[in-house]
Amino acid sequence: MIISPKYALSLGYMNNEAVINNTGLKRYNMRFNGDLNLSKRLTATADLSFTLNEQNLRDQGTAAKTNPVFSFIGKIAFSPGKRCVGDRC
């Protein structure tokens, strides 16, 4: 009986600096795949993965006070001005 192993290891790193100062994303990842043929009918498989994200984000969330996108949408929807309904303005 011959045991024939197959394995693969993958490592990754990403550093994404954003446009706004002191913001960005760093990601580290690792993956290991292993196959072991124990006999003609029996195979063992192991798959492991690990990911670590380090985020430094600004103004995120659904509160209008902390997220500029939601603040902008709210100002457009509720700003005073000319309202048109159909053909009438």
Side-chain angles (χ1 to χ4, degrees):
M1 176 168 85
I2 298 175
I3 298 175
S4 59
K6 290 188 231 176
Y7 54 89
L9 178 66
S10 173
L11 301 172
Y13 169 75
M14 179 185 72
N15 185 9
N16 186 5
E17 293 184 16
V19 176
I20 300 171
N21 290 338
N22 299 322
T23 61
L25 169 69
K26 287 184 182 178
R27 177 178 292 154
Y28 307 90
N29 54 29
M30 185 269 308
R31 184 176 179 96
F32 175 77
N33 297 336
D35 293 330
L36 186 61
N37 293 330
L38 301 173
S39 70
K40 289 182 181 181
R41 295 185 178 184
L42 185 60
T43 302
T45 302
D47 297 327
L48 302 170
S49 64
F50 171 77
T51 301
L52 173 66
N53 290 325
E54 295 178 3
Q55 295 181 355
N56 186 10
L57 301 176
R58 173 179 267 184
D59 298 329
Q60 113 180 14
T62 58
K65 291 183 179 181
T66 60
N67 190 321
V69 174
F70 284 110
S71 177
F72 180 72
I73 291 170
K75 288 179 183 175
I76 289 174
F78 299 109
S79 64
K82 198 174 199 181
R83 304 273 182 202
C84 297
V85 177
D87 294 340
R88 299 180 315 174
C89 291

